[in-house]
Amino acid sequence: MSAIDEGIVREYFEQNGFLVRQARKYQVSARRKVAEEEIDLIVLNPSWQREARKPDFFLFSNELPYVHKAIVSVKGWHTGVFTPNMLKSSPEIFSFLQQSVLKEASRLFPTDAAETDPDTGGVTKILVLPSLPTAEPFRSQSVDLLKASGVDAIISFRAMLLDLLDKIEINQNYSKSDTLQVMRILKNY
């Protein structure tokens, strides 16, 4: 995952009130990733309400208040659409859903006896991707494959970017965030 993809996702969650932790600061390339290296971002919503319902599968900013704590996998493959064939032939998309990774994720969050799922400790598994097919039945098949694999929710880069652009003010200086500053400049011109 490139730094810009992660920066966009980080800014999106932070702009929506989440605390965001980057699981690692290095890129694994010469060996197979270990469990904790499969998680790109860890997010926690400090304003989450215990009585809140579960979020919808398609996450937009209006669904984020229903997410309490989550692990996020970012797949910034911007030239591809996550078709059923691609999902079936690319098992690395689902590597963040392995039991060892989920066990590591539950260790990263404080435990709560009231959580409903003892295996994951109530951690939502979010996949960030460029897009799904727009035509049926391919869209439904992709969604079914994602759900069957254990993905709880997805966010598209398009939805994140549109939300961020909507929140950015062109007369503000976002000097503490290169991502937001570049988006402000683009929005201005």
Side-chain angles (χ1 to χ4, degrees):
M1 167 185 58
S2 76
I4 191 67
D5 295 331
E6 184 177 306
I8 292 168
V9 177
R10 172 184 285 279
E11 292 295 344
Y12 177 71
F13 278 104
E14 287 177 351
Q15 289 291 318
N16 283 287
F18 281 75
L19 302 173
V20 180
R21 177 178 169 211
Q22 185 178 18
R24 60 185 155 57
K25 294 284 187 184
Y26 56 88
Q27 183 69 32
V28 177
S29 59
R31 62 175 168 76
R32 188 179 174 109
K33 291 180 182 178
V34 294
E36 64 270 9
E37 294 170 331
E38 293 292 347
I39 301 169
D40 293 322
L41 296 172
I42 301 152
V43 298
L44 177 70
N45 182 354
S47 63
W48 177 77
Q49 301 294 317
R50 186 172 298 282
E51 309 80 35
R53 65 172 172 79
K54 291 188 85 132
D56 289 339
F57 185 73
F58 294 97
L59 282 182
F60 297 97
S61 59
N62 63 338
E63 283 295 310
L64 289 178
Y66 304 114
V67 175
H68 179 210
K69 49 190 176 180
I71 57 172
V72 181
S73 179
V74 180
K75 302 298 180 200
W77 306 347
H78 297 289
T79 57
V81 175
F82 280 51
T83 63
N85 287 338
M86 178 192 223
L87 293 170
K88 289 175 187 174
S89 65
S90 303
E92 67 271 16
I93 294 171
F94 303 110
S95 58
F96 80 109
L97 301 169
Q98 299 169 3
Q99 251 341 86
S100 59
V101 177
L102 297 178
K103 190 174 193 175
E104 179 66 20
S106 64
R107 186 188 68 76
L108 296 170
F109 289 104
T111 57
D112 186 351
E115 297 292 354
T116 55
D117 188 354
D119 293 333
T120 63
V123 175
T124 305
K125 298 165 297 288
I126 300 173
L127 178 63
V128 178
L129 45 77
S131 64
L132 290 176
T134 55
E136 289 296 342
F138 305 112
R139 183 176 181 82
S140 297
Q141 290 171 355
S142 292
V143 169
D144 292 343
L145 279 167
L146 290 165
K147 286 180 178 179
S149 297
V151 175
D152 295 324
I154 62 169
I155 307 173
S156 73
F157 275 96
R158 180 180 181 85
M160 284 188 300
L161 289 168
L162 288 172
D163 186 61
L164 284 172
L165 283 170
D166 189 47
K167 290 179 179 175
I168 289 175
E169 299 293 331
I170 59 172
N171 59 349
Q172 293 289 325
N173 186 356
Y174 297 97
S175 61
K176 294 188 177 195
S177 169
D178 291 342
T179 303
L180 293 181
Q181 188 71 348
V182 167
M183 292 177 77
R184 176 187 80 91
I185 292 168
L186 292 172
K187 185 176 181 177
N188 187 44
Y189 293 103

